[in-house]
Amino acid sequence: MAETNNNAIKSVLLTEKQLDEIVTRLAGEIEAHYSAPGKNLLMICVLKGSLIFTADLMRKINLPMKVDFMQASSYGSGTVSCGNVKIRLDLKEKDLSQYDILVVEDILDSGNTLSFLLNYLKERAVRSVKLCVLLNKPERRKIPIEVDFEGAKIADEFVVGYGLDYNEQYRNLPYVGILKPEVYGG
Ligand code: XMP
Ligand code: MG
């Protein structure tokens, strides 16, 4: 098992090297899909958790593309999704009609956040909407969501690092680690 020097972390789930391999594979799949003639890629980074993932992923995609940002919230400060999703930050790009949209999300858990965001985007005139998630926790799903590009399936444990937070902390860890349950009173 990979070592961690952070005493809030029970164990490392994905090392920097494993994350790099996952992101390289995803970038290849995305590039293959969006290099088809007529595609016009707009990546949407779902803040804040996807910030590092998006930054690494987009640098490995060798295609013309734009990036924009959205922020939704369903969590508050705890570790359980409440199903009440709000848009905190909307896209800067208002006319989406010319774009093939790829939503880039850090983690798919109950599906509340993404089902809301995907419906919201599909209601606007877009050419296509696809989803890329770094981590997928299928055991926790409440709303079915189709994932087009998936990094890794993980078990039902609260993870932090590589952009993912608990109470806004730990986003800067270069790996994905399992948080000790005592840190969040679990
Ligand atoms: P839902 O339940 O709406 O949740 O699919 C998606 C959002 O919940 C957050 N989330 C996590 N954040 N470690 C985190 O740091 C986790 O294990 C975790 N599980 C869910 C995350 O913000 C995601 O966008
Ligand atoms: Mg998130």
Side-chain angles (χ1 to χ4, degrees):
M1 187 184 293
E3 292 292 313
T4 167
N5 59 4
N6 188 307
N7 59 18
I9 303 300
K10 189 167 84 178
S11 60
V12 175
L13 191 62
L14 295 168
T15 62
E16 280 186 80
K17 183 166 176 288
Q18 287 171 320
L19 287 164
D20 186 65
E21 286 164 3
I22 288 170
V23 174
T24 302
R25 171 182 53 82
L26 289 172
E29 291 172 15
I30 291 166
E31 196 175 299
H33 179 78
Y34 289 96
S35 57
K39 294 274 184 209
N40 188 12
L41 175 59
L42 173 64
M43 270 174 57
I44 297 183
C45 169
V46 185
L47 293 172
K48 299 178 189 172
S50 306
L51 119 119
I52 295 173
F53 177 40
T54 305
D56 283 350
L57 186 65
M58 64 190 283
R59 281 179 290 177
K60 290 180 191 270
I61 298 173
N62 186 20
L63 285 176
M65 55 160 288
K66 291 185 180 178
V67 65
D68 205 343
F69 302 92
M70 284 187 87
Q71 188 169 20
S73 62
S74 72
Y75 253 56
S77 61
T79 58
V80 182
S81 179
C82 64
N84 176 17
V85 183
K86 291 191 180 68
I87 297 211
R88 286 197 179 159
L89 174 77
D90 204 349
L91 298 172
K92 185 124 187 265
E93 196 80 58
K94 295 299 172 210
D95 177 10
L96 301 180
S97 59
Q98 54 183 313
Y99 295 113
D100 294 287
I101 288 181
L102 179 64
V103 175
V104 181
E105 178 62 304
D106 52 355
I107 188 162
L108 173 55
D109 190 61
S110 71
N112 283 329
T113 311
L114 277 170
S115 102
F116 180 87
L117 277 184
L118 293 169
N119 285 336
Y120 176 82
L121 289 167
K122 285 173 187 164
E123 276 167 14
R124 297 165 75 165
V126 291
R127 288 195 191 164
S128 64
V129 180
K130 291 203 176 281
L131 174 64
C132 173
V133 297
L134 177 64
L135 304 173
N136 184 3
K137 280 187 190 172
E139 283 170 52
R140 304 244 317 163
R141 198 80 78 256
K142 293 201 184 100
I143 304 176
I145 303 267
E146 192 187 328
V147 181
D148 301 287
F149 307 98
E150 177 184 276
K153 287 192 176 54
I154 65 167
D156 179 13
E157 278 176 299
F158 199 81
V159 292
V160 295
Y162 198 68
L164 290 138
D165 74 306
Y166 172 67
N167 266 347
E168 296 297 329
Q169 291 291 328
Y170 313 111
R171 293 192 197 277
N172 57 323
L173 297 177
Y175 52 83
V176 172
I178 300 171
L179 196 61
K180 285 182 183 164
E182 56 263 37
V183 176
Y184 56 90

